[in-house]
Amino acid sequence: MKKKIFLSLCCLFTYHLYAQDSASAPIQNNEESLKQLPVLWMQTAAEYRALCYQAFNTAQWRLEKLLRKKKRRQHWAVITDLDETILDNSYEEAKRIKANKDYSNADFNNWVNRSAATEVPGASKFLQWVHEKGISVFYISNRDTSQVKPTLINLQKLQLPDTDTSHMLFLSNTSSKEARRQNVMGRYNVVMLLGDNLNDFTYLFEKKDIPTRKEEVDSVREDWGKKFIVLPNSTYGEWENALYDYNRKLTPQQKDAKRKTLLKDY
Ligand SMILES: [Mg+2]
């Protein structure tokens, strides 16, 4: 009997401690905490995985069709973005959410130096297939040129093709990728571009407001799923900058107000 009472008291004490701990845990209210659900969607939703396979399957079908008309002497290339198109960096974001920290270049650099990103589902199989078909792959990324080496190691771990510095065009002086795309287009027939951000495809989308971004997407409607292959990314991107009119100095309160203004209800 005494033993029973002792065990009950122990359970009660443990529950009390747990309840106290949960109640006193700080509620995250920084900008980064807003990303819990989008990050969880990319890490846990099988729907995200299916969308990635859908994108790479579409890309392969399109190239198979184009290859039937390819002439021997033509040099073809595919241009792809890296982050959240080929490489999954959600771990870095998840770590910051848990630590209640906002994004910092230093934290992202630490992550890049680990060369530990996994592939976006279907990416390596697709790019290996592209390579087998004799099509060159160029990686145009806004990772900094100082991050080429750890990124190269990461890509090699994932057994991706064309993993050498001549195929990696990283950020040096401008975040616009247009000049780097033109560099490749001047030497190759670029038959496809892949990205998670509209700026991965053409300069037409750069620094545009929300209605104009949509209009520009509509203006090249026929290219989606053909020349342009989009990967889903709910956690960050140019769409997020457009929410705030590209103003990086807004306070969290101002950002919150802006988001509420943009939410369409009935
Ligand atoms: Mg990206």
Side-chain angles (χ1 to χ4, degrees), residues 81-87 89 177 195-197 200 233 236:
D81 167 57
L82 281 177
D83 295 322
E84 276 52 66
T85 298
I86 302 298
L87 297 177
N89 302 292
K177 294 182 171 181
D196 65 299
N197 188 323
D200 297 326
N233 179 4
Y236 67 90

Side-chain angles (χ1 to χ4, degrees), residues 175-211:
S175 61
S176 172
K177 294 182 171 181
E178 189 59 22
R180 286 172 276 166
R181 275 192 295 267
Q182 292 302 329
N183 174 316
V184 180
M185 287 171 177
R187 296 176 286 142
Y188 290 82
N189 179 13
V190 175
V191 286
M192 183 174 282
L193 298 101
L194 297 101
D196 65 299
N197 188 323
L198 292 184
N199 294 352
D200 297 326
F201 302 100
T202 107
Y203 68 92
L204 289 173
F205 303 116
E206 290 174 14
K207 293 270 167 74
K208 299 282 170 67
D209 62 21
I210 294 169

Side-chain angles (χ1 to χ4, degrees), residues 123-179:
S124 63
K125 194 175 169 219
F126 168 69
L127 290 181
Q128 284 158 6
W129 178 86
V130 168
H131 182 69
E132 281 165 20
K133 296 294 171 190
I135 303 172
S136 297
V137 179
F138 285 88
Y139 303 97
I140 298 187
S141 167
N142 276 354
R143 286 190 174 194
D144 193 87
T145 44
S146 65
Q147 297 170 325
V148 164
K149 197 176 174 189
T151 306
L152 197 55
I153 294 168
N154 202 155
L155 297 184
Q156 286 166 349
K157 274 187 194 171
L158 297 171
Q159 299 184 310
L160 295 171
D162 290 329
T163 45
D164 56 68
T165 51
S166 68
H167 288 84
M168 297 168 80
L169 289 80
F170 280 23
L171 175 70
S172 55
N173 51 9
T174 170
S175 61
S176 172
K177 294 182 171 181
E178 189 59 22

